[in-house]
Amino acid sequence: MTDARRPLTHALAALARVEPARIGDVIAARLSGGLPDVALENADPATIAAFRARAEAELETPWPQPRAHDAARFHLDGDRISWEHPAFARQHRLTRVAVLASGTGEDRWIDETLDGAIMLAEQSSWCWPAHDDTRARHGSVLATVTDPYVDLGAGEAVGQLAWLDHIAGDVVEARYPGFRARLAHEARVRVLDPFVARRDWRWIDFGGRVNNWNPWIHGNVIAAALQFLDGDERARVVSLAIEGMDLYVASLPEDGAIDEGYAYWWNGACRLVEALDLIAHATGLDATGEIAAVRETIAFPHRMHLGEKWFVNAADGQALQRDPQPWHALHRAARRIGDETAASFAALHRDPSMSAVAESEGLGRVARGIADADWLAAGPGADPLPERTWLPSTEMLIVRGATGSAAGLAFAAKGGHNDESHNHNDVGSVIVASDGVPVVVDAGRPTYDARTFGPDRYDLWPMQSQWHGVPFVRGAGQPAGERFAARDVVAGDREISMDLAGAYDVPALAEWRRTVSLDGDDVLIDDAWRFDEDGDEPTEVRFVLAGEVTLTSGSARVVPLSGAAPVALTWDPDAPATLEEKLLEDPMLSHVWGEHLTRLSIDVSDRTEISVRVRHNEPMKERR
């Protein structure tokens, strides 16, 4: 591996004051203890009360049980959630009772912890069926138990059992001798031994395209190694994990942006900084603040914030998060590098009257967050809402009227290319928010199934450019592929300009210049284009709108979600327009946008330019 792809190794070596080639020996010599101590006697009472209420309500109910025929469904009809939902629900229940067993020592919670952990140990595979390579390697639609695949699911399972053993292993072992040996055995044969023995894990590199699987799995492997291994074995696994994470760190751009979008930060870059935290605990070498891209990525969440619960989304990210996020992990990372702005933004999401953590975060995150004294004391926090954020790696510009306020209009516009991680064909896409609420939107992703990451991905409408705020050119949307990209992207203080012609497979399209700007209190989207030859196919400028839309000549009025101020999109009334409503039956989409989204299509077939202005129905001075 070249030095350019070893930034983590070099940072650790610099901290240890040794040559990079010697860092393995240093890691082996410095590794001590297991996982970080968790003082559950000081755990957040609101979380404990919530866990107890849910655990008591399900105490006499059967544990959720993922079934074999549901595991096979991914290969038969593409369904993945019928297996995943009960599997995830069982792990959430196990997290709750493990915390209660550790914190109370009560027999009922110890018994529940035993049952849940052994059920997990007896599950044929910890790999999520959608990820298993068993069919390719063995021709089977069910897991091959003699050839376990280490994926996100296996990583989460082994991480859960490592943290369970750390916080509750003693009390369960005292009542049920042999329990801890069983956990250690399962961790070894299902994850730790395969991780070392098989080095062709595609998630380490993905053929040069590293994504969030890398730090997510490696972090859980490190946790398991610290808890279940010792001596040379532990050092070998941790060193391999560091070597693998080097590839992810090398892929992080200097601006800290995540091309998969804000939603994936939590299970990508955040997983990385949590893994670095474990390495720092085990070795005394904390590289978090030593790598520019890592420091910058800790600022990424607040840079993507639009207001209240809304965020700029791209690719498979969502504008509104469905599950609670581990804000305590961001808070802890920001504290470690002295980023007061990021720490304050995380603290903004700490409500002392609510649970400090959620079991859906996973036991490791719960264990760290539930007893983090600084996190539990955090507040009230502040929202920086920077006036301008420019991320050159993803060619995304976000602009609002003033720093620190979500009032008025803000926009996000991106260039990029159509082979980004979790890609949507969205080069030139525009998002506009009213008072922090998206009104010109990116739909985000549907529920994952077999099509999502296969050859039929772009049959799904949310991934198509036709359902993004980009032009539809001579009857064609944007194709997938890295060569379909924005050109000549220029970002100014309050505007971004780019040529979109390269994002289309339309030979006659010579140029499509899109400029998005904050013009006073308004957002202005200017498009100008030229073709080398005439054509009859329709050309449209399109936007996807959230809320209730009313169309009149040259204007579309939108009453946004969440009570934000209504806006109007206006253009030359000689350009006819139509609305198409898309009913949202998928809960992954309806959770964010409600019952429907609306596509506005402005016919520009007989033109070479058009301007669309987005403005509040009443001037800002009247709204203030």
Side-chain angles (χ1 to χ4, degrees):
M1 191 185 301
T2 65
D3 285 352
R5 302 197 76 187
R6 301 183 68 201
L8 177 54
T9 293
H10 278 258
L12 292 169
L15 290 168
R17 298 182 180 180
V18 299
E19 294 298 316
R22 291 191 52 213
I23 192 60
D25 295 336
V26 172
I27 294 294
R30 283 175 169 260
L31 279 174
S32 60
L35 294 167
D37 291 336
V38 177
L40 284 181
E41 63 272 15
N42 299 320
D44 174 50
T47 303
I48 294 295
F51 280 16
R52 182 185 294 276
R54 288 193 281 274
E56 287 178 344
E58 62 194 4
L59 189 57
E60 301 302 325
T61 65
W63 280 74
Q65 179 62 48
R67 300 176 299 186
H69 79 268
D70 285 329
R73 283 190 64 178
F74 177 78
H75 302 285
L76 302 179
D77 63 14
D79 180 292
R80 58 185 285 175
I81 64 174
S82 294
W83 184 91
E84 288 179 358
H85 279 183
F88 296 171
R90 187 169 68 188
Q91 287 186 256
H92 297 167
R93 180 168 172 173
L94 179 55
T95 288
R96 287 190 287 273
V97 297
V99 169
L100 293 172
S102 177
T104 69
E106 295 178 17
D107 289 350
R108 58 177 176 165
W109 305 128
I110 294 173
D111 293 348
E112 281 278 283
T113 300
L114 173 75
D115 286 344
I118 297 303
M119 285 181 192
L120 186 57
E122 292 177 346
Q123 188 171 298
S124 293
S125 172
W126 292 345
C127 175
W128 298 344
H131 300 159
D132 205 336
D133 67 353
T134 181
R135 192 166 195 180
R137 286 167 68 90
H138 304 287
S140 174
V141 298
L142 297 174
T144 303
V145 296
T146 55
D147 186 17
Y149 189 81
V150 179
D151 77 321
L152 298 178
E156 281 292 278
V158 81
Q160 182 177 38
L161 293 187
W163 282 99
L164 187 154
D165 188 61
H166 181 56
I167 67 171
D170 286 342
V171 296
V172 181
E173 180 74 18
R175 184 168 169 83
Y176 296 104
F179 171 73
R180 301 187 76 178
R182 177 66 184 277
L183 299 191
H185 168 76
E186 298 294 342
R188 178 185 288 276
V189 300
R190 292 172 181 264
V191 174
L192 296 171
D193 286 350
F195 172 74
V196 173
R198 179 178 170 182
R199 301 309 299 155
D200 64 340
W201 303 111
R202 66 188 183 93
W203 47 264
I204 294 179
D205 194 346
F206 277 105
R209 298 295 302 276
V210 187
N211 70 15
N212 67 314
W213 283 41
N214 179 305
W216 191 347
I217 297 173
H218 279 127
N220 278 312
V221 166
I222 290 171
L226 294 179
Q227 187 63 23
F228 294 125
L229 301 178
D230 55 25
D232 291 342
E233 282 189 308
R234 179 168 57 181
R236 170 66 170 156
V237 171
V238 172
S239 292
L240 282 175
I242 291 171
E243 180 182 312
M245 286 193 301
D246 251 325
L247 297 176
Y248 182 83
V249 177
S251 76
L252 274 179
E254 289 189 4
D255 57 23
I258 304 298
D259 63 0
E260 296 165 301
Y262 158 82
Y264 279 85
W265 185 89
W266 297 102
N267 282 322
C270 187
R271 295 285 183 178
L272 170 68
V273 296
E274 290 172 291
L276 297 182
D277 190 21
L278 290 182
I279 294 169
H281 163 76
T283 67
L285 301 174
D286 188 356
T288 309
E290 306 302 312
I291 303 169
V294 177
R295 291 197 306 271
E296 289 298 313
T297 202
I298 290 171
F300 185 71
H302 71 251
R303 289 171 176 166
M304 293 295 102
H305 192 219
L306 289 171
E308 294 295 333
K309 56 188 178 180
W310 298 97
F311 289 81
V312 175
N313 63 308
D316 275 354
Q318 294 171 284
L320 176 65
Q321 287 296 104
R322 186 167 187 169
D323 297 318
Q325 299 302 333
W327 292 100
H328 56 88
L330 173 59
H331 193 259
R332 191 176 309 112
R335 296 194 319 254
R336 281 163 49 208
I337 67 168
D339 188 335
E340 295 182 3
T341 300
S344 183
F345 180 66
L348 184 67
H349 296 81
R350 169 76 179 113
D351 183 348
S353 68
M354 304 290 289
S355 297
V357 298
E359 53 267 73
S360 60
E361 297 174 17
L363 183 53
R365 284 175 159 176
V366 167
R368 298 303 307 275
I370 199 172
D372 183 334
D374 290 325
W375 169 244
L376 298 180
D383 192 343
L385 290 169
E387 182 177 356
R388 178 185 184 272
T389 295
W390 167 237
L391 301 171
S393 67
T394 55
E395 298 181 338
M396 177 177 283
L397 179 70
I398 304 164
V399 177
R400 55 174 49 86
T403 296
S405 174
L409 296 181
F411 78 80
K414 71 176 293 289
H417 60 80
N418 282 335
D419 193 28
E420 296 163 342
S421 294
H422 291 245
N423 180 72
H424 290 198
N425 293 335
D426 61 355
V427 174
S429 182
V430 180
I431 293 170
V432 179
S434 170
D435 299 337
V437 179
V439 58
V440 178
V441 308
D442 182 318
R445 73 170 179 90
T447 298
Y448 287 159
D449 61 25
R451 297 170 296 173
T452 310
F453 299 107
D456 300 325
R457 177 176 177 85
Y458 295 99
D459 291 344
L460 300 168
W461 69 265
M463 282 70 164
Q464 299 169 359
S465 71
Q466 291 90 317
W467 280 93
H468 284 79
V470 301
F472 184 68
V473 181
R474 289 200 171 170
Q478 298 177 8
E482 188 171 2
R483 71 185 180 93
F484 299 105
R487 301 185 296 218
D488 188 24
V489 180
V490 180
D493 290 340
R494 294 167 71 87
E495 72 174 34
I496 184 170
S497 175
M498 65 191 79
D499 179 9
L500 304 184
Y504 294 84
D505 189 15
V506 179
L509 180 61
E511 182 182 29
W512 192 294
R513 173 62 55 178
R514 166 160 283 188
T515 302
V516 186
S517 61
L518 194 63
D519 182 31
D521 293 332
D522 303 342
V523 173
L524 189 61
I525 304 156
D526 290 316
D527 287 301
W529 58 93
R530 59 185 176 87
F531 294 100
D532 287 336
E533 58 187 57
D534 294 337
D536 297 328
E537 300 89 345
T539 296
E540 298 174 339
V541 170
R542 292 177 169 180
F543 302 100
V544 180
L545 309 175
E548 297 305 317
V549 186
T550 305
L551 180 64
T552 58
S553 178
S555 176
R557 183 177 186 271
V558 188
V559 179
L561 306 174
S562 302
V567 304
L569 287 75
T570 60
W571 60 92
D572 184 343
D574 289 337
T578 59
L579 299 180
E580 180 178 346
E581 194 171 276
K582 175 71 75 172
L583 295 178
L584 303 179
E585 299 177 348
D586 186 326
M588 192 65 68
L589 293 164
S590 60
H591 166 77
V592 180
W593 306 117
E595 295 181 353
H596 67 275
L597 288 168
T598 303
R599 182 171 68 188
L600 169 67
S601 300
I602 305 170
D603 189 341
V604 295
S605 301
D606 60 351
R607 295 168 169 266
T608 59
E609 61 182 19
I610 195 166
S611 292
V612 177
R613 183 175 293 273
V614 187
R615 64 185 353 159
H616 277 122
N617 271 16
E618 60 273 11
M620 277 292 292
K621 62 183 180 180
E622 294 180 15
R623 297 177 56 244
R624 295 191 183 105

